[in-house]
Amino acid sequence: MEKYMFIFLGGDPSHLSPEAQQAHMGKWFAWVEKLRNEKRYVAGEALMPGGKTVKGTKKTVTDGPFAESKEVVGGFFVIEAKGIDEAVQMAKECPDYELGGVVEVREVMKFDNM
Amino acid sequence: MLEQQVNQLVDHLFRHEAGKMAAVLTRLLGFQSLEIAEDIVQDTLLKAMTTWKYKGIPDNPSAWLHTVAKRKAIDAIRKHRLHEQHHAEIGYALKSEWTLSPTVSSFFRENEIEDSQLRMIFACCHPSIPYESQIALTLKTLCGLSVLEIANSFLTNEDTIVKRLYRAREKIREQKISLEAPVPTAMPGRMDAVLDTLYLLFNEGYNSSHPDVLIRHELCVEAMRLCHLLVQNSITSVPKARALLALMCFQASREDARLAEDGSIILLQDQDRTKWNTALIEKGKLYLEQSAEEDVFTEYHIEAAIAGCHAAANTFEDTSWSSIVELYTMLLDMKPGPIVEMNRAIALGRHDTAAAGLDALERINGLEKNHLYHAAKGDFYLSLNEKQNAHQCYQLATEFTTSKTERELLNQKMKRCKN
């Protein structure tokens, strides 16, 4: 098993009614539950919007990133899969696509092999 | 097991919490700041969504939501200096940093939430707001429905609902409507307006011919929930409110029996009475009894009693038509009108003879364009075996109904006239 990170971008639910929001969340819970039951889920965190950016040799601090909402990283999961193909299959079950969400699937680098 | 975990959140939790928080926040921030309150509700739910998706549902989801809403409310009060426009009761408590946070917290206690919801019902159903706007505002703020969901349930478009909500907000500003506690002295007039709105809301759900059964069902459930809130509170639990809740319980008890699988309407006489919800019938009986505890008698009492007569009959033939005729006669005294006359005539026809019913129907003026009127005449003609006349009446009825399922029902009846 290799570790993969799912990075969730966009998927703005703010136009949904409370009832639809709850329904959408239900789908998300079902997906996470499935990953847990299959012992694939390792960790996950949600990220607050906004924050600060430090840049350049002068270490300039600015507010943000204030990306377009469809590019904002909302959170990430670390999961286990047999390979990139399986990881992609798992990522396809994320319910955020109907809200314009994007999932980046990245393999976590292993250093003990180097 | 999996399903249990998936459905961890109580049904409609978000929607109901949206309604509760909107009421509390509006009471805190002032009715004039309704939009700020709605924004806070929206932000709170979004925060819950983004957090819970990754971290799972907290042990007490409602408390979690309330904590976030409280923090946002405190920020809003500071930012917009909302205490300045507030009435003397809590304005000073919101002004001082010492008392701001505990005051906001105290508004989120269980009994205060209910109190805020009650105040909100009275404010939304303020007599100076037009009826349609009252209903739209109630559904939006107290029931947590979106503009699109309200538009769908009234078979209209979002623009219409947006306009209705705008008119409501305009009135709130013009009339400086606030979220006052319902006081017993000002009750009768205000209470009537509230109950009328809930009655309309329920009927919209119960009688409208919307293809989406679920949405109609929700309107009935919401009207009952709000009416129940009134009945639970000592000040607002007036006999008329209990009678209305009894009426809603009796009507709702037949819900499962009155729609066929294809969505068509099953008439009272053809319903499978074993499908009636006995728990709701018992509740209806209880509220009807409790509605008689004071010397008050209203049209809701009579309508509930009529619905109760139907609920008490094991078969259509067992229905106590004599009581129903009597009740409609009383209702006619209180609330004269051709619709009540028509219902009385139909009951009379069942109690007495079809000819008597037909005769009574013929004497009614003002229902020439009402499909139910023509359908009722058709029914009596059919039982008198005057098939040609019956067919004519059904034909007229089809011209005036807007409902597809009703038209299908009438077409079936017309076929029976041909045999």
Side-chain angles (χ1 to χ4, degrees):
Chain A
M1 289 283 195
E2 308 297 328
K3 280 199 176 70
Y4 291 86
M5 185 179 268
F6 290 172
I7 302 163
F8 302 104
L9 300 103
D12 179 14
S14 60
H15 63 284
L16 296 179
S17 71
E19 193 75 0
Q21 286 180 347
Q22 186 170 341
H24 179 77
M25 208 162 39
K27 288 184 199 164
W28 191 283
F29 290 147
W31 181 48
V32 176
E33 202 54 45
K34 191 178 166 209
L35 293 176
R36 281 185 197 277
N37 285 349
E38 291 169 356
K39 307 246 182 297
R40 301 307 186 92
Y41 182 90
V42 180
E45 294 289 349
L47 301 177
M48 298 281 286
K52 299 276 183 188
T53 303
V54 186
K55 205 156 63 177
T57 47
K58 287 186 180 167
K59 296 164 193 169
T60 317
V61 180
T62 49
D63 285 338
F66 293 118
E68 293 265 327
S69 71
K70 60 176 192 267
E71 291 158 3
V72 170
V73 179
F76 63 84
F77 281 177
V78 176
I79 57 101
E80 283 187 324
K82 290 187 192 101
I84 186 78
D85 291 342
E86 196 191 43
V88 165
Q89 279 309 315
M90 288 156 75
K92 278 186 180 173
E93 289 175 36
C94 172
D96 267 12
Y97 303 111
E98 59 195 63
L99 298 178
V102 173
V103 182
E104 264 182 42
V105 183
R106 305 280 297 271
E107 188 172 345
V108 176
M109 206 185 275
K110 268 195 215 161
F111 289 97
D112 50 6
N113 291 344
M114 293 176 121
Chain B
M1 183 65 187
L2 187 63
E3 231 164 71
Q4 206 183 349
Q5 284 170 333
V6 170
N7 296 319
Q8 278 162 332
L9 282 181
V10 180
D11 278 350
H12 313 305
L13 178 92
F14 263 37
R15 196 156 67 65
H16 288 162
E17 283 300 335
K20 285 182 185 176
M21 290 190 291
V24 171
L25 292 166
T26 309
R27 188 174 157 207
L28 262 172
L29 310 177
F31 207 8
Q32 315 295 323
S33 309
L34 180 60
E35 275 153 87
I36 298 177
E38 287 179 339
D39 286 346
I40 294 177
V41 171
Q42 166 87 337
D43 286 352
T44 301
L45 294 181
L46 279 178
K47 179 154 191 207
M49 246 191 123
T50 46
T51 314
W52 299 359
K53 266 159 76 174
Y54 296 95
K55 292 279 135 192
I57 301 168
D59 290 339
N60 186 340
S62 296
W64 194 102
L65 292 171
H66 296 175
T67 305
V68 175
K70 267 181 233 173
R71 263 186 236 134
K72 289 183 188 290
I74 291 171
D75 288 346
I77 290 166
R78 284 194 192 124
K79 187 176 156 202
H80 300 284
R81 303 187 63 79
L82 288 168
H83 58 86
E84 285 172 4
Q85 2 173 326
H86 229 291
H87 46 92
E89 191 194 337
I90 55 168
Y92 73 92
L94 297 181
K95 194 177 175 186
S96 150
E97 281 296 322
W98 285 96
T99 47
L100 174 59
S101 173
T103 306
V104 170
S105 290
S106 71
F107 275 65
F108 278 90
R109 286 198 204 108
E110 199 53 48
N111 58 329
E112 290 296 333
I113 293 175
E114 268 178 31
D115 190 47
S116 298
Q117 284 180 291
L118 276 180
R119 289 169 187 242
M120 195 68 168
I121 296 177
F122 275 80
C124 289
C125 302
H126 195 279
S128 65
I129 303 174
Y131 263 133
E132 288 179 329
S133 296
Q134 286 183 16
I135 291 183
L137 188 63
T138 302
L139 288 173
K140 178 97 196 321
T141 56
L142 275 155
C143 309
L145 292 180
S146 69
V147 170
L148 178 67
E149 285 163 342
I150 301 171
N152 283 342
S153 59
F154 286 95
L155 281 177
T156 179
N157 54 36
E158 289 178 81
D159 280 352
T160 308
I161 299 301
V162 167
K163 274 182 208 143
R164 288 178 190 173
L165 288 170
Y166 177 77
R167 243 171 271 143
R169 293 203 176 103
E170 217 174 28
K171 285 288 171 197
I172 292 166
R173 262 190 300 273
E174 278 172 19
Q175 309 280 326
K176 298 200 164 50
I177 299 171
S178 64
L179 257 66
E180 308 146 1
V183 283
T185 45
M187 280 289 291
R190 295 295 306 278
M191 194 68 193
D192 281 355
V194 169
L195 295 177
D196 282 352
T197 303
L198 296 185
Y199 178 72
L200 285 178
L201 180 58
F202 184 88
N203 279 344
E204 187 61 42
Y206 198 73
N207 292 329
S208 81
S209 38
H210 194 282
D212 188 341
V213 179
L214 268 179
I215 287 172
R216 299 174 28 175
H217 171 79
E218 281 306 304
L219 293 186
C220 292
V221 171
E222 287 306 312
M224 285 178 83
R225 189 172 69 89
L226 297 177
C227 199
H228 195 249
L229 260 177
L230 294 173
V231 167
Q232 274 181 321
N233 181 280
S234 57
I235 297 173
T236 52
S237 181
V238 296
K240 194 175 177 181
R242 288 181 230 145
L244 178 58
L245 187 54
L247 172 62
M248 290 176 177
C249 288
F250 285 134
Q251 302 286 60
S253 74
R254 296 199 282 271
E255 216 189 348
D256 291 342
R258 67 195 281 274
L259 283 180
E261 268 171 37
D262 62 352
S264 62
I265 297 165
I266 303 173
L267 293 175
L268 192 58
Q269 60 210 79
D270 302 324
Q271 286 174 13
D272 175 0
R273 297 189 174 213
T274 59
K275 282 190 187 165
W276 287 2
N277 184 327
T278 46
L280 274 175
I281 293 176
E282 289 308 314
K283 269 190 191 167
K285 282 187 199 163
L286 185 71
Y287 290 127
L288 190 57
E289 267 172 40
Q290 289 175 355
S291 75
E293 279 171 7
E294 286 161 60
D295 196 17
V296 182
F297 200 61
T298 66
E299 67 261 34
Y300 294 144
H301 283 83
I302 303 176
E303 287 191 49
I306 294 169
C309 280
H310 287 300
N314 286 327
T315 64
F316 186 69
E317 290 70 30
D318 281 349
T319 310
S320 172
W321 293 110
S322 61
S323 310
I324 292 181
V325 172
E326 217 173 290
L327 286 162
Y328 272 123
T329 309
M330 286 156 78
L331 188 59
L332 207 50
D333 268 350
M334 217 178 268
K335 201 171 92 175
I339 297 283
V340 181
E341 272 183 71
M342 171 177 78
N343 285 324
R344 187 183 170 279
I346 294 170
L348 187 74
R350 299 282 175 201
H351 171 57
D352 201 347
T353 59
L358 195 58
D359 187 46
L361 281 176
E362 295 274 342
R363 272 183 272 140
I364 301 170
N365 290 318
L367 294 181
E368 292 74 18
K369 291 188 175 172
N370 185 302
H371 63 280
L372 293 172
Y373 174 71
H374 293 292
K377 273 173 74 177
D379 287 347
F380 283 140
Y381 273 124
L382 194 62
S383 51
L384 291 168
N385 217 21
E386 295 185 34
K387 287 181 176 169
Q388 212 179 341
N389 284 333
H391 191 274
Q392 229 170 8
C393 290
Y394 290 141
Q395 184 69 50
L396 261 175
T398 56
E399 284 168 28
F400 296 120
T401 182
T402 51
S403 154
K404 206 178 125 210
T405 52
E406 273 179 348
R407 193 167 294 134
E408 278 163 17
L409 196 70
L410 288 163
N411 283 334
Q412 279 176 20
K413 285 182 171 184
M414 279 193 275
K415 274 182 204 154
R416 268 189 256 165
C417 296
K418 297 224 162 112
N419 302 329

